[in-house]
Amino acid sequence: MKICYNETLDASNLLQDMELCKKYGYDQIEIRIEYLQEYLKSHSTQELKDALKQHRLTPLAFNSVDNINFCTPKQWDELLERFLFACRMCQELENPYIVVVPTEDASLAEKNFQEIFRDSVDVLRILSGIAAPYGASLAFEPIGNRRWCVQSIRQAAEIVQAVDRDNVGLTLDAMNLYCHCGLADMADLYKIPAGKIFVFHINDSMELPLGELEPEQHRIHPGDGVIPLKEFCRTLVVVGYKGPASLELFNPAFSVQNPEDVIREGSQKTKKLLETI
C-alpha cells in the first residue's frame, strides 16, 4: 500500500503539511476542509494545484462532513453549505472522495437501527445526487463509540448496499472500528460489496477497556498499540482494497508536538507496519 497523510494537527496548516509529506515520503494527502478554507483566503485553487504537483502529492479525500443524520432544517442548511464547498473543490482539484460521518448524539441510542438505517440511506442518496455532477464520491465512516449512530462494519455495509449508488462507499478507520468491539467483527469486511471501500484510515489504540476508548483521544502511531493492524490490513487487501493507508492521528497529545516530528514518525511507523503485510 501507498501511504497518505490525513491532516489532524492543529499546530500545522495545509502548506506546511504538503512540505512535510514530500519530505517524509507520503504519496497522497487527505485535506481537512478547515485547512483548505484557510489556505484559499490567500491563495487560489490553481496555486494549490501547482503546490500539490510540486510536492508530488495527489489528494485522496476531504475530511469531513459530520453529523449527517436527523438534521434540523438549520443543521441541514449548514451541512449543505459545507458539502457543496467540498463538492466544488473535488471538481477543481480532482479530489475523488468526501468523508461523511454519522451523527454523534448519545440520545440517538433510543432509536432502533431500522430508523437510523432509513435516515442514513435517505441522506446518502440525497448527497450522492448533489455530488455526482461534480465527480465527487461519498466515503461513509462508521464510528464505534456509542455516541455515534452508525458504529459497526456490518451496519455501514448494509447502509451503503441499500443506497446502491456508484459514488457512495465506505471509509474504514482502524481506531473507530476497534472502539466498537475490538475488531472481533473483522470477518464482516467480507460482506462489503466489491469496490465499496473507498478510504482506509490507519492508526493504533492505547490499551484501555473498550468502553473507555475515545476515538479522538486515544489514537497512537500504527504498531504502537493493541489493534490487530496486520490482520486488518491483510484482510483489506484480500477483499480488494487497492488504495493507500491514510494516517489519521486525532489526539490532543499530538497537537502540542512539533508537526514535523509527528509526520516523520507516522511515515516511518506506517511504512514499517505495511512492509509486514
Side-chain angles (χ1 to χ4, degrees), residues 3-277:
I3 65 169
C4 175
Y5 175 65
N6 185 335
E7 295 188 290
T8 57
L9 301 176
D10 293 336
S12 192
N13 57 64
L14 178 52
L15 184 56
Q16 181 179 27
D17 287 343
M18 287 190 289
E19 292 169 350
L20 293 173
C21 283
K22 178 181 178 182
K23 185 173 182 179
Y24 294 109
Y26 291 85
D27 303 287
Q28 293 186 267
I29 186 167
E30 195 167 342
I31 298 174
R32 195 195 296 195
I33 291 174
E34 289 79 8
Y35 279 19
L36 176 57
Q37 291 170 329
E38 186 63 29
Y39 178 91
L40 292 176
K41 289 179 182 178
S42 54
H43 299 82
S44 68
T45 52
Q46 184 59 52
E47 286 176 306
L48 179 53
K49 291 170 72 172
D50 293 342
L52 287 165
K53 185 175 181 180
Q54 176 188 348
H55 293 95
R56 298 195 295 274
L57 293 167
T58 55
L60 174 67
F62 293 138
N63 202 334
S64 55
V65 174
D66 301 327
N67 298 316
I68 70 167
N69 300 91
F70 305 106
C71 293
T72 66
K74 181 176 183 295
Q75 290 169 335
W76 182 251
D77 288 345
E78 292 171 350
L79 183 152
L80 276 184
E81 181 179 3
R82 183 178 178 88
F83 184 73
L84 282 166
F85 168 77
C87 287
R88 291 193 296 271
M89 291 300 101
C90 281
Q91 187 175 51
E92 293 196 46
L93 298 173
E94 298 181 4
N95 172 84
Y97 303 121
I98 302 169
V99 176
V100 295
V101 181
T103 292
E104 177 190 4
D105 185 342
S107 70
L108 295 181
E110 299 172 2
K111 294 185 179 292
N112 62 49
F113 180 63
Q114 282 307 311
E115 293 176 278
I116 294 167
F117 173 88
R118 287 193 296 269
D119 182 79
S120 298
V121 171
D122 289 345
V123 172
L124 287 170
R125 283 179 175 166
I126 292 169
L127 294 178
S128 76
I130 295 169
Y134 298 92
S137 295
L138 283 59
F140 184 55
E141 180 173 13
I143 300 183
N145 185 286
R146 294 177 184 175
R147 294 195 307 278
W148 278 265
C149 66
V150 179
Q151 301 168 14
S152 70
I153 299 169
R154 178 188 59 80
Q155 290 174 339
E158 289 178 2
I159 289 167
V160 165
Q161 187 165 15
V163 172
D164 193 25
R165 297 281 177 82
D166 289 344
N167 69 334
V168 178
L170 293 172
T171 294
L172 299 183
D173 181 298
M175 177 65 169
N176 289 339
L177 299 177
Y178 184 79
C179 284
H180 175 62
C181 62
L183 275 174
D185 59 349
M186 200 184 306
D188 285 343
L189 291 172
Y190 292 95
K191 299 176 183 178
I192 298 173
K196 285 298 185 179
I197 304 173
F198 288 172
V199 178
F200 164 43
H201 290 165
I202 194 167
N203 37 56
D204 216 326
S205 173
M206 298 178 185
E207 187 172 7
L208 290 169
L210 292 180
E212 296 179 17
L213 284 176
E214 289 291 339
E216 296 188 358
Q217 293 184 24
H218 298 133
R219 295 169 187 250
I220 50 181
H221 284 292
D224 286 354
V226 295
I227 298 178
L229 279 175
K230 293 180 184 178
E231 182 184 358
F232 188 62
C233 291
R234 287 172 184 146
T235 305
L236 286 176
V237 172
V238 170
V239 301
Y241 180 69
K242 294 180 171 58
S246 182
L247 179 71
E248 183 176 272
L249 292 175
F250 283 115
N251 184 328
F254 289 124
S255 286
V256 297
Q257 296 179 27
N258 183 329
E260 180 162 6
D261 293 338
V262 177
I263 291 172
R264 180 186 65 247
E265 187 174 2
S267 173
Q268 293 169 344
K269 292 188 173 180
T270 302
K271 288 177 179 178
K272 181 178 179 180
L273 185 138
L274 292 176
E275 286 170 356
T276 68
I277 68 171

